[in-house]
Amino acid sequence: MSSFLRERIFYEIAMGIGNSLDLEVMLREALSTYLRKLNCLAGIVLENREGGDETTSFESVFSIPKRLKRKSVVRESLESIPCGLSTGAKSDFLLSLPMQECRDGLRHYLMELPGYGLLLLVKSDPGFSLPELKALAPINRKLAGACLACTANQRLQREILVREAAEEKYRSIFNNAVEGLYQSSMDGVLLEVNPAFARLLGFSSPREAVEGYTDLGNELYVHQGDRDRFLGRLAARGQVSAFEIEYRRKDGSTGWLSLSSRLVRDELGVPSSIEGMAEDITSRRQALAALREAKLEAERLSQLKSSIISMVSHELRTPLTSILGFSKITRKRILDIFEHATGCSDEIASHLKRIDTNTQVVISEGERLTELINNVLDLAKLEAGGFEWNMVQISMNAILEHSIAATEVLFQESGVELECTIEADLPPVLGDRDRMIQVVINLLSNAAKFTEAGIVKLGARVEDETLVVEVADTGVGVPPDEVVLIFDKFRQLGNTLTDKPKGTGLGLPICKEIVEHHNGRIWVESVVGEGSVFAFSLPISSLPD
């Protein structure tokens, strides 16, 4: 082949390379030109691929013909190319190129595509001369450059697709977010908002909102001071969370916004814009205001209730004292008459006995009403915080002894036995002596009243860092659905419409208030028909130095 013809062929091959940035299109055209102009039977372009173990292998990316027979000489030549080369072995392998072999009467030429991979050409006789192989080197470099450009273009296209998908995802999130999202300049010009933010301001579209607000400080903020504080916090911290402002809508109405924003800086670190999220909290603010008003009103009504209870109880106590006093005097005189009367007819004696019975009822119910009034007054004072407490270190042993003595008659009259299991030398607790006696007496009295037969056990022990007092009875027990209600005001066991009340229904609520004021806890454990255990615990007081 003359040098002129060779140069023309190589020129045409070079001109056929690099007309497309699509790798497959470019290689189809370039490799076809190689084969046609150089009278080759087959050609394969291979790309070097780096493995995870820092080795290099060569993989086919395009071939003509596209499909190689399983036992073809071309495939055998392809499989003879080494793989898993280390860095040094790869360098030695590339230095050995170009390489040629003869297989079944065909010549196989393996040449380097610098920086990209390898080119394998299969040709029948006559083969390439040495000058022709050398002349192919610059053309192979151009083919390698075209392959690298196409590969870079493919990578760029993939990155563009990924970026476009990310932008589309962000745009979808931005446009469909329930919260208002916005971006503004440092001088208060809206740059971009989502539909939710536009709706907050009363606009039908983001574009209208951006065009409608050109100075957020004067147009959005009701109070300019809020804008100044907002910008001050952004400058100091770089971000602001849940900053509440009163804002103005398009129609002039006002509401409340919660802003969470961050300061955006340019490459020089200079603040360039503000972006963030806005949530309308008008309903929440209104609800909080209503709750505050309701709380104030409830406190006022509670104060009024306490005043009324105190006044009514005082007004009831005065005549009730007189009624009880005169009833007791009347009964005493009737008993005197009945005792000294001689020769009375049966009818008169029957009348006197009935009067005595009725007087006993008046006295009994009067004393119960007095107890109710006293309990109502105590509870009102406890709830209003007007109770006077004498908090000192007290001995629970002394309190329990006093309570046992005070309820001794009650247990004798009821025929119920009181059994005591009290640890000696219980540690002191900080409390009001009279109020703690009131609690223990109330629990013992309830146990005696609701235990028709059996035994009541009073126990006291130290448990961890607390002192526990228990009153256990074998009475009627408390139904499970009433256990959680037993400490409610005016709550009594049984049907109060058909059963005769055995108390005021205020004893346990008062006990609960007293125990909780002492930082203690009161509870009940009960089984219907077997009895109940009422207990309370108080923190043990440390002895003074």
Side-chain angles (χ1 to χ4, degrees):
M1 181 187 297
S2 66
S3 60
F4 174 77
L5 181 59
R6 184 171 60 243
E7 289 178 3
R8 181 168 182 81
I9 289 173
F10 289 169
Y11 173 76
E12 290 182 11
I13 294 173
M15 292 302 294
I17 296 173
N19 292 331
S20 173
L21 285 175
D22 184 287
L23 182 64
E24 184 173 354
V25 173
M26 186 276 295
L27 285 177
R28 184 186 303 116
E29 182 178 350
L31 201 53
S32 296
T33 305
Y34 262 85
L35 302 185
R36 187 173 63 254
K37 294 299 180 181
L38 298 176
N39 294 319
C40 294
L41 301 176
I44 302 174
V45 174
L46 300 96
E47 181 184 12
N48 57 5
R49 302 280 174 85
E50 301 292 336
D53 54 355
E54 298 183 355
T55 60
T56 301
S57 298
F58 299 93
E59 295 184 13
S60 171
V61 293
F62 192 81
S63 66
I64 296 178
K66 298 245 350 173
R67 294 185 180 181
L68 301 176
K69 294 180 181 180
R70 181 174 299 178
K71 294 186 178 181
S72 67
V73 292
V74 178
R75 182 176 289 278
E76 289 177 4
S77 182
L78 190 63
E79 291 174 350
S80 68
I81 298 173
C83 59
L85 297 174
S86 64
T87 303
K90 174 186 174 184
S91 298
D92 294 340
F93 173 71
L94 294 177
L95 287 174
S96 68
L97 301 178
M99 185 184 297
Q100 63 174 318
E101 279 186 313
C102 284
R103 291 173 182 262
D104 296 336
L106 297 176
R107 297 180 182 273
H108 297 248
Y109 295 91
L110 189 62
M111 295 168 279
E112 181 184 6
L113 296 178
Y116 182 76
L118 305 174
L119 172 63
L120 175 64
L121 295 177
V122 179
K123 189 179 187 304
S124 60
D125 289 331
F128 294 127
S129 64
L130 185 59
E132 288 174 337
L133 286 175
K134 288 182 178 180
L136 279 174
I139 298 176
N140 291 341
R141 283 196 295 272
K142 184 173 182 180
L143 177 60
C147 289
L148 290 171
C150 291
T151 303
N153 179 65
Q154 286 180 334
R155 189 181 303 112
L156 178 61
Q157 292 301 320
R158 285 194 298 268
E159 291 175 357
I160 290 173
L161 290 175
V162 171
R163 188 180 299 113
E164 287 178 348
E167 289 177 355
E168 179 61 29
K169 183 177 180 180
Y170 163 77
R171 180 59 55 185
S172 175
I173 294 173
F174 183 79
N175 288 331
N176 297 312
V178 177
E179 297 82 5
L181 304 176
Y182 75 97
Q183 184 183 43
S184 70
S185 65
M186 296 303 299
D187 54 359
V189 177
L190 276 180
L191 302 176
E192 188 174 11
V193 302
N194 71 340
F197 192 88
R199 288 192 295 270
L200 284 179
L201 303 182
F203 292 94
S204 58
S205 70
R207 181 178 178 181
E208 288 183 10
V210 170
E211 294 174 351
Y213 282 80
T214 58
D215 184 358
L216 294 179
N218 292 320
E219 296 170 348
L220 179 69
Y221 287 75
V222 174
H223 308 290
Q224 180 62 40
D226 289 342
R227 174 70 175 176
D228 296 338
R229 285 192 297 276
F230 175 74
L231 293 177
R233 291 189 186 180
L234 267 181
R237 306 174 187 174
Q239 62 181 18
V240 172
S241 298
F243 187 87
E244 297 184 2
I245 67 164
E246 190 174 8
Y247 78 105
R248 189 179 292 107
R249 303 185 185 93
K250 173 187 175 183
D251 59 5
S253 62
T254 61
W256 286 87
L257 278 183
S258 174
L259 298 177
S260 296
S261 308
R262 75 180 186 96
L263 197 60
V264 180
R265 300 179 183 272
D266 60 19
E267 60 275 6
L268 298 177
V270 178
S272 60
S273 62
I274 300 169
E275 60 186 23
M277 178 180 71
E279 179 186 5
D280 189 291
I281 56 170
T282 305
S283 299
R284 188 194 309 168
R285 294 275 300 205
Q286 291 172 345
L288 287 174
L291 283 174
R292 282 194 292 269
E293 288 293 327
K295 181 175 179 292
L296 292 174
E297 180 65 13
E299 290 174 350
R300 187 187 69 81
L301 292 175
S302 179
Q303 188 76 24
L304 180 61
K305 177 202 72 174
S306 298
S307 300
I308 292 175
I309 289 175
S310 179
M311 180 188 67
V312 170
S313 299
H314 178 73
E315 293 300 321
L316 285 173
R317 185 183 289 174
T318 302
L320 187 58
T321 302
S322 301
I323 292 171
L324 278 173
F326 284 117
S327 296
K328 290 178 180 179
I329 293 172
T330 302
R331 182 166 183 264
K332 185 176 181 302
R333 290 184 177 177
I334 290 173
L335 290 175
D336 289 340
I337 294 172
F338 193 72
E339 183 180 351
H340 297 94
T342 55
C344 288
S345 64
D346 293 340
E347 184 178 356
I348 293 175
S350 175
H351 281 301
L352 288 174
K353 189 172 182 181
R354 185 179 303 167
I355 292 173
D356 177 53
T357 302
N358 292 342
T359 307
Q360 277 185 290
V361 172
V362 171
I363 293 171
S364 174
E365 293 303 309
E367 289 175 344
R368 199 170 71 84
L369 184 56
T370 301
E371 180 187 0
L372 175 61
I373 292 172
N374 291 335
N375 286 340
V376 168
L377 282 174
D378 284 348
L379 194 59
K381 287 180 181 178
L382 285 168
E383 291 180 341
F387 215 87
E388 294 183 3
W389 300 91
N390 182 25
M391 303 296 287
V392 296
Q393 282 195 332
I394 56 177
S395 167
M396 187 55 68
N397 290 97
I399 287 173
L400 295 177
E401 289 174 7
H402 183 99
S403 303
I404 292 169
T407 55
E408 183 179 359
V409 175
L410 180 61
F411 279 98
Q412 290 176 352
E413 291 178 351
S414 64
V416 176
E417 180 185 352
L418 176 61
E419 181 181 297
C420 300
T421 308
I422 302 171
E423 292 183 5
D425 300 324
L426 292 170
V429 296
L430 185 66
D432 186 310
R433 177 182 178 277
D434 292 337
R435 298 308 157 197
M436 292 315 303
I437 289 175
Q438 182 178 354
V439 170
V440 178
I441 287 179
N442 186 278
L443 296 181
L444 289 173
S445 300
N446 284 348
K449 285 186 285 187
F450 289 97
T451 303
E452 295 182 358
I455 190 172
V456 173
K457 296 181 180 180
L458 172 63
R461 67 182 185 280
V462 175
E463 192 172 284
D464 296 331
E465 297 298 319
T466 61
L467 192 153
V468 179
V469 177
E470 291 182 345
V471 176
D473 62 55
T474 56
V476 295
V478 182
D481 58 335
E482 294 195 30
V483 167
V484 294
L485 307 174
I486 196 69
F487 294 101
D488 288 353
K489 300 167 205 171
F490 299 104
R491 189 75 186 182
Q492 293 182 325
L493 291 178
N495 189 335
T496 55
L497 295 178
T498 58
D499 299 340
K500 178 177 174 58
K502 296 185 178 181
T504 63
L506 291 175
L508 288 177
I510 291 174
C511 290
K512 183 173 183 290
E513 292 284 344
I514 293 173
V515 171
E516 290 180 351
H517 181 83
H518 287 71
N519 297 318
R521 186 172 72 93
I522 188 169
W523 68 94
V524 60
E525 298 170 0
S526 183
V527 177
V528 175
E530 295 183 12
S532 306
V533 177
F534 283 85
F536 66 89
S537 62
L538 299 175
I540 296 173
S541 172
S542 58
L543 290 172
D545 297 335

